Amino acid sequence: MSGTALIAGVSGIVGNNLAQHLVASGWAVQGLARRPPQDLAGVDPIAADLLDPASLRQALESRRPSHVFITTWLRQDTEAENIRVNGAMVRNLLDALRPAGSVRHVALVTGLKHYLGPFEAYGKGTLPPTPFREEQPRLDVENFYYAQEDEVFAAAARDGFGWSVHRPHTIIGYALGNAMNMGVTLAVYATLCREAGRPFRFPGSAVQWNGLTDMTDARLLARHLTWAATTPAARNEAFNVVDGDVFRWSWMWGRIAGWFGLEPAPFEGAIMPLAEQMAGAEPLWREIAARHGLVEPDLGRLASAWHTDADLGRPIEVVTDMGKSRRLGFLDYQATDDAFFDLFARLRTAKVIP
């Protein structure tokens, strides 16, 4: 089954990989962003601002998507602002599409902050037991993911379309200038360590170093989004989505180091944030970029140290149950170390890293 997909956030990790998957699967794809990429083959770019209802309605008035994939958000200074801004983005988009009456399914991508809480209270307080399961209730805290869900639920009840919610763990995938991009951040950090002869130190907590965790490849997430949008049994359901393997960072750190020809530094038990380790590295990155002809000399556009530090510094073990999807027939699997290696190879081919 295929249709006409509108991807909100086509320039991000999830949207970029989803667009490529849908095009390859025979879908007509419309890619919406404030500055949509022009080089995604088969994607009809739509330049629009989800916070500007009037211009959004104008940009979408002739569009008739059957499926809508919401893969974007805007980080704000407080959770109250996150709720106001990100809830409005979802509401404005679905309001703009309502007159056409073409939408049959809306898929919303959120994440494990559904269980861990917002950045202001990330991993603190009373949390549900792991592995996280979809039937666990919402935390008793304000959370912009909940606001986004509620906007989708309200529009679905009003307009009669089906929905799905997708909760990945940390996503590995190709995108530049993204606010939450551990894979590219670690590739840049490893490159800086190799070029400067600095030790490749794990930046996170002892719990993350020693405990079990999982991640989500953006390509697997794209397949999961498509599956849920076209599978009747998945209609009106929320799903966790991870690669299917578990690992300890004490193992993965050595795997990543080896790909870059590095020896991992011994973990000494203390958190050493990347935001501190990479501070002041902008001139070195510009020099590396010039010497190797890299496409992006601005370190700030590549690395999101704050987000990687938030994930790797968590004081709790985080693993995710995916049994709900398995029982309904989604059986895809991705080895997470291979997901990292595939990304690093693509970054090298695209001249993002040397």
Side-chain angles (χ1 to χ4, degrees):
M1 176 182 175
S2 62
T4 299
L6 173 67
I7 303 173
V10 72
S11 58
I13 296 176
V14 178
N16 183 297
N17 284 271
L18 175 61
Q20 293 181 64
H21 174 69
L22 290 174
V23 168
S25 301
W27 289 63
V29 180
Q30 303 163 356
L32 187 151
R34 285 177 294 176
R35 292 176 295 276
Q38 304 297 312
D39 58 349
L40 275 175
V43 176
D44 179 12
I46 303 172
D49 186 344
L50 293 176
L51 290 174
D52 185 345
S55 66
L56 187 60
R57 286 193 298 270
Q58 183 177 8
L60 296 176
E61 63 181 354
S62 64
R63 309 289 178 165
R64 300 291 185 271
S66 58
H67 295 72
V68 177
F69 299 89
I70 303 173
T71 70
T72 187
W73 72 291
L74 284 175
R75 188 187 184 201
Q76 306 298 309
D77 290 337
T78 67
E79 194 60 19
E81 279 298 291
N82 274 331
I83 290 168
R84 183 185 68 81
V85 169
N86 290 284
M89 290 166 60
V90 174
R91 182 171 61 255
N92 293 342
L93 174 63
L94 298 180
D95 283 350
L97 292 169
R98 184 185 187 190
S102 62
V103 177
R104 301 200 303 267
H105 187 93
V106 172
L108 172 68
V109 179
T110 62
L112 294 196
K113 287 189 292 297
H114 183 93
Y115 310 106
L116 288 164
F119 287 119
E120 291 179 5
Y122 194 47
K124 299 175 183 176
T126 302
L127 299 175
T130 56
F132 295 139
R133 301 178 188 275
E134 297 92 343
E135 64 267 21
Q136 291 166 328
R138 291 179 174 182
L139 300 176
D140 187 23
V141 295
E142 295 296 308
N143 190 323
F144 82 88
Y145 282 171
Y146 305 161
Q148 288 181 308
E149 286 186 345
D150 288 344
E151 293 291 349
V152 171
F153 300 158
R158 178 191 70 196
D159 299 336
F161 56 75
W163 55 265
S164 57
V165 175
H166 304 256
R167 300 170 186 159
H169 199 167
T170 304
I171 298 170
I172 305 169
Y174 184 88
L176 305 183
N178 191 271
M180 299 193 298
N181 199 332
M182 180 188 286
V184 176
T185 299
L186 292 182
V188 169
Y189 172 59
T191 301
L192 288 168
C193 288
R194 187 182 63 206
E195 293 281 332
R198 293 169 47 187
F200 186 60
R201 298 189 183 280
F202 181 70
S205 68
V207 171
Q208 293 303 304
W209 181 256
N210 294 310
L212 293 172
T213 193
D214 48 29
M215 295 184 74
T216 305
D217 188 304
R219 299 166 300 182
L220 182 140
L221 176 54
R223 298 193 297 272
H224 191 265
L225 283 158
T226 308
W227 165 80
T230 57
T231 300
R235 181 183 172 95
N236 298 348
E237 296 286 351
F239 297 101
N240 297 329
V241 50
V242 287
D243 287 342
D245 61 356
V246 294
F247 62 90
R248 303 179 200 277
W249 275 105
S250 56
W251 174 80
M252 185 67 77
W253 200 248
R255 297 284 288 162
I256 293 173
W259 197 92
F260 287 94
L262 297 168
E263 285 292 328
F267 179 62
E268 298 176 358
I271 293 177
M272 302 183 68
L274 285 182
E276 296 178 7
Q277 292 196 57
M278 297 173 69
E282 291 84 1
L284 175 57
W285 185 259
R286 285 195 296 270
E287 189 274 325
I288 293 169
R291 176 158 33 97
H292 293 280
L294 303 184
V295 297
E296 181 53 74
D298 184 351
L299 180 62
R301 275 189 49 80
L302 292 178
S304 53
W306 69 271
H307 178 258
T308 300
D309 285 339
D311 273 10
L312 297 184
R314 288 183 299 215
I316 58 171
E317 182 178 87
V318 177
V319 286
T320 314
D321 178 75
M322 207 173 155
K324 186 177 183 180
S325 293
R326 306 298 189 214
R327 287 191 292 273
L328 293 177
F330 184 82
L331 305 178
D332 285 23
Y333 166 86
Q334 170 66 54
T336 301
D337 54 342
D338 286 341
F340 273 120
F341 300 160
D342 290 349
L343 172 62
F344 298 156
R346 184 174 177 186
L347 293 172
R348 182 166 286 171
T349 299
K351 301 291 285 184
V352 178
I353 61 173

